Amino acid sequence: MEISRKTDYAIRLVAALMLNDGKPLSVRKAAAMQEVPYSFARGIQHDLVKSGVITAVRGAHGGMMLAIDPEQFTLAELIETLQGPISLAVCLSEDGWCARDSSCVFHQVWANGSRIIRDYLSSISMKDIIEGKNPYLKEKHF
């Protein structure tokens, strides 16, 4: 599993919204704060609105706002919102991709590895990351 550039940028935009104290934040400003290319941020904003992670507020003082509770919303949920199921191998996420699923000696290894990664990412809320409360993180960079 690899975190795509789009997902990385989306995580950073959500972080910018979390640091903005519940006030609307323009896409341009959030992108600049998190070093995300503005043109990329516009497309990500659309995807995050469509998935219900953020809302868009129109008008002179508008922008983006969180539509989720960062204390309850995990890193796994955000990744899966953008990329689909967390999976180490395509045979786990696409039915019929491999005819050897039932006889493959590695299938269960990939399934267990995927479960471990998903469980770990599910144990970390977005709020924990921003506040540096994850015991696996040495320091916060936001």
Side-chain angles (χ1 to χ4, degrees), residues 15-16 18 26 28 39 46 50 55 63 77 83 95 102 109 112 134:
M18 291 173 61
S26 75
R28 187 173 301 282
S39 59
H46 175 73
K50 189 172 149 185
T55 58
E77 289 174 300
Q83 289 188 202
D95 289 336
S102 61
V109 173
N112 287 338
N134 179 350

Side-chain angles (χ1 to χ4, degrees), residues 87-114:
S87 177
L88 288 177
V90 69
C91 62
L92 299 172
S93 57
E94 291 185 26
D95 289 336
W97 188 83
C98 179
R100 300 186 61 223
D101 281 356
S102 61
S103 63
C104 179
V105 295
F106 296 103
H107 188 82
Q108 196 58 46
V109 173
W110 305 146
N112 287 338
S114 295

Side-chain angles (χ1 to χ4, degrees), residues 17-44:
L17 292 173
M18 291 173 61
L19 295 168
N20 203 47
D21 299 322
K23 296 177 283 191
L25 183 64
S26 75
V27 177
R28 187 173 301 282
K29 188 170 182 180
M33 287 170 60
Q34 295 295 334
E35 299 177 13
V36 174
Y38 175 69
S39 59
F40 217 140
R42 293 284 299 154
I44 292 168

Side-chain angles (χ1 to χ4, degrees), residues 5-90:
R5 179 175 292 161
K6 175 183 175 180
T7 299
D8 175 54
Y9 289 166
I11 290 168
R12 290 196 242 166
L13 293 174
V14 169
L17 292 173
M18 291 173 61
L19 295 168
N20 203 47
D21 299 322
K23 296 177 283 191
L25 183 64
S26 75
V27 177
R28 187 173 301 282
K29 188 170 182 180
M33 287 170 60
Q34 295 295 334
E35 299 177 13
V36 174
Y38 175 69
S39 59
F40 217 140
R42 293 284 299 154
I44 292 168
Q45 175 202 20
H46 175 73
D47 291 343
L48 291 173
V49 168
K50 189 172 149 185
S51 66
V53 173
I54 66 171
T55 58
V57 179
R58 295 194 178 271
H61 301 287
M64 306 179 290
M65 292 180 62
L66 286 178
I68 49 94
D69 177 356
E71 193 167 4
Q72 301 299 316
F73 197 69
T74 68
L75 186 54
E77 289 174 300
L78 185 51
I79 291 167
E80 289 181 333
T81 294
L82 296 151
Q83 289 188 202
I86 294 170
S87 177
L88 288 177
V90 69

